[in-house]
Amino acid sequence: MDEFELISRYFSNCGAKRHDTGIGVGDDAAVLQVRDGCDLVITTDTMVAGTHFFPDADPRALGHKLVAVNVSDIAAMGAEPAWLSLAITLPSIDEAWLSAFAAGLHETAEYYNCQLVGGDTTRGPMSLTMVAKGIVPRGKAITRSGAKVGDYIYVTGTLGDAALGLKLCQGLHEVSKKHQTHILQRFHFPSARVALGQALRNIASSAMDLSDGLYSDIQHILKRSGVGASIDVSRLPLSQAVKDSCDNATAMQLALSGGEDYELLFTVPEAKRGSLDVLLSPYGIAITCIGRITGVAGKLELKQAEQPFNYVHSGFIHF
Ligand SMILES: [Mg+2]
């Protein structure tokens, strides 16, 4: 099978069929019909075998995760994901692997209403790179730089689940049978908070997605916004699986430093707080206030029940 057969067999009809795709896979380049009055939002994510995933990882899960992590960045900007392109490097053509990977890619892209519109295939050590493009009404993208002193800090969902899933896969932590499915699902098949991200457009002053863990990710908002933050660790939302599987210190470690949850971290001004619960309730995803933005630029203060919380940060290491 040559490169062209491979593309037509596995990647030519991948994801949703969007009416605003002028030309998709098959020409020298894709042509995309960006709506009037909209900005184009673009992000890139690479996953390398041995660095970001185990070389023997389930290819369907890899296809899912590659789409989900890219779409999550689009969601964090408050944009609607629309188009994907894929650069894939493979050591050899393994049809069983390719067909499962393409299935994961297709079902996840379709779920988020994204269409694969192009890419490139080469031979070499396994590496997967995706570019996602989204659209947002002009000037409405939510950035990392808008947080103001006094804003409330929120996260969606629960924190630390994916990191616990990784530890479970590595045989480093035990999780009871009844929680294993949930924890492994969170690690292998993360969700991007797409609808919620768009709902935050007129509410959040800043937003980002959590890929490397709360403790290190929030520093990006502090830096870009020129502010500090105070977080009450007793408010960090934990799943029943994390609560049942970990002592308090481990749970805090997972919630603060565990990566790959792909939840949204965002800030909301006092005046917009009232509309938050009402507007977000239809999305069925819990949101939790975990602290406030402070005026001490770059300083992240952790508290537990009004006492300083001593925490030694160990950065998230991808796989
Ligand atoms: Mg991100």
Side-chain angles (χ1 to χ4, degrees):
M1 186 168 33
D2 66 19
E3 183 189 350
F4 304 106
E5 280 169 346
L6 186 153
I7 292 168
S8 84
R9 185 169 305 175
Y10 297 109
F11 300 121
S12 59
N13 288 302
C14 189
K17 277 211 179 326
R18 290 184 62 98
H19 64 86
D20 49 3
T21 302
I23 299 169
V25 173
D27 219 301
D28 290 291
V31 178
L32 311 172
Q33 298 159 353
V34 179
R35 284 199 292 272
D36 284 351
C38 282
D39 289 331
L40 187 62
V41 178
I42 301 179
T43 183
T44 308
D45 249 297
T46 295
M47 292 174 23
V48 177
T51 304
H52 301 92
F53 60 90
F54 302 108
D56 62 350
D58 170 14
R60 189 177 145 249
L62 286 179
H64 173 100
K65 204 164 185 172
L66 187 63
V67 173
V69 304
N70 273 278
V71 165
S72 176
D73 277 328
I74 299 287
M77 302 298 291
E80 170 199 339
W83 302 287
L84 307 170
S85 27
L86 169 73
I88 181 168
T89 305
L90 297 171
S92 61
I93 292 178
D94 173 343
E95 295 213 35
W97 190 96
L98 268 168
S99 128
F101 173 74
L105 211 66
H106 172 71
E107 65 201 19
T108 312
E110 193 170 47
Y111 178 79
Y112 292 117
N113 197 28
C114 286
Q115 183 171 354
L116 188 73
V117 293
D120 190 25
T121 55
T122 46
R123 196 180 287 263
M126 190 188 288
S127 163
L128 313 166
T129 295
M130 182 162 272
V131 177
K133 288 135 235 152
I135 33 192
V136 68
R138 181 139 309 147
K140 289 290 183 185
I142 312 167
T143 65
R144 296 174 174 184
S145 58
K148 298 272 187 310
V149 177
D151 286 358
Y152 291 81
I153 304 167
Y154 287 84
V155 288
T156 60
T158 54
L159 303 179
D161 295 331
L164 181 59
L166 172 62
K167 281 183 184 288
L168 175 62
C169 289
Q170 291 171 313
L172 296 175
H173 201 100
E174 282 184 22
V175 174
S176 71
K177 266 256 166 327
K178 68 170 178 179
H179 291 313
Q180 284 190 5
T181 311
H182 170 75
I183 283 300
L184 291 175
Q185 182 82 12
R186 292 276 284 160
F187 176 57
H188 290 301
F189 296 93
S191 298
R193 303 303 187 194
V194 172
L196 204 130
Q198 290 169 62
L200 288 174
R201 261 177 217 159
N202 294 308
I203 299 175
S205 51
S206 72
M208 67 180 299
D209 68 330
L210 293 171
S211 53
D212 295 348
L214 176 65
Y215 191 95
S216 54
D217 282 333
I218 197 172
Q219 316 275 353
H220 297 293
I221 287 183
L222 304 190
K223 202 168 184 185
R224 300 272 301 173
S225 299
V227 294
S230 172
I231 287 176
D232 181 349
V233 297
S234 59
R235 291 207 214 163
L236 297 179
L238 304 175
S239 66
Q240 202 56 47
V242 165
K243 286 183 195 164
D244 289 354
S245 313
C246 308
D247 57 36
N248 189 56
T250 310
M252 287 299 128
Q253 181 80 35
L254 292 174
L256 286 165
S257 299
E260 304 209 308
D261 279 323
Y262 299 103
E263 295 295 348
L264 296 180
L265 167 69
F266 59 97
T267 56
V268 176
E270 174 97 64
K272 299 273 178 78
R273 260 190 115 195
S275 48
L276 191 63
D277 290 336
V278 180
L279 279 165
L280 299 193
S281 61
Y283 297 98
I285 296 156
I287 54 163
T288 309
C289 180
I290 58 167
R292 296 195 72 172
I293 294 294
T294 67
V296 195
K299 183 160 191 252
L300 174 59
E301 188 186 10
L302 300 179
K303 286 196 218 161
Q304 187 170 35
E306 296 307 312
Q307 297 298 313
F309 179 73
N310 287 320
Y311 179 71
V312 181
H313 175 62
S314 63
F316 172 62
I317 300 155
H318 289 274
F319 146 49

